[in-house]
Amino acid sequence: MQRLRQGDRISSLIQPTFDRRSSVMQAVGLNRFFGDVLTNEALDYRMLPTLTFIVSVLIAFATGTSWGTMTIMFPLVLVPAYEASNGDANIFYGVTAAILAGAVAGDHCSPISDTTILSSMASECQLMCHVKTQGPYALMVALWSILVGTIPSGYESFSNGISLLLGFVFMAFHVVFTSEFAINKTGRFDIFTEIYLRCFDRKNEFLLQLKADVVKAYETGEPVEMSEEQTPFEP
């Protein structure tokens, strides 16, 4: 409870900074920049949902606020997108959805987001460790959102219902084939951690010890406590 109160105090201190960034970005000409980009005749207007999604992710990641990103993007993008697409309702709705989705995705990954800070404090781990471990999963969802969402929506390759169905199928695929139970017989990690361990850091003592502890927990059915020397996470 004390940690949550501390997190609330931190959030109350940093949130006003995020709220002011919208006016700062407009002051430096961000609205004119995106307006020029989105109304550029060389740009295929059917790519507007995808471009808007990517830009929203980047702004939300940089500012650490989804609501602030929406306040920046909606007035900057909607009218230029409507004009560039000659009033195409499908593009307009796609751009609107892309702003909402991109803002949430970028905020989820941002190390300066108040929700990210509170999550790391509640789980008692270092902030950047929390950001790094959730990053691959958030990026995976963002990638499939583009491949089966914004691009097909912009080009009207198939209906939005099909996009939702494909998104569900691919997420289910990752749950079944690229994920792993937290406690399992072999101590195997998810595919991303296994690739990292085998290709980049074969002698990572923490991960190797964690793998052994998982096997022990599976065999005994009892939780295994890690000593402070074993874990890189600091409360």
Side-chain angles (χ1 to χ4, degrees), residues 78-167:
L78 290 186
V79 173
Y82 186 84
E83 294 176 349
S85 63
N86 295 318
D88 189 320
N90 183 67
I91 297 298
F92 184 79
Y93 295 143
V95 167
T96 302
I99 293 174
L100 297 173
V104 173
D107 174 74
H108 182 73
C109 298
S110 176
I112 60 173
S113 169
D114 53 351
T115 53
T116 304
I117 295 172
L118 291 174
S119 296
S120 65
M121 294 181 67
S123 57
E124 298 188 350
C125 72
Q126 291 180 348
L127 174 61
M128 291 310 300
C129 290
H130 174 61
V131 172
K132 291 177 181 178
T133 53
Q134 73 175 355
Y137 303 100
L139 292 175
M140 176 190 68
V141 175
L143 177 62
W144 284 117
S145 297
I146 293 174
L147 296 179
V148 303
T150 60
I151 293 178
S153 174
Y155 284 88
E156 298 187 63
S157 303
F158 38 75
S159 67
N160 293 334
I162 298 297
S163 291
L164 291 173
L165 178 61
L166 288 175

Side-chain angles (χ1 to χ4, degrees), residues 8 60 148 181:
D8 290 337
V148 303
F181 288 104

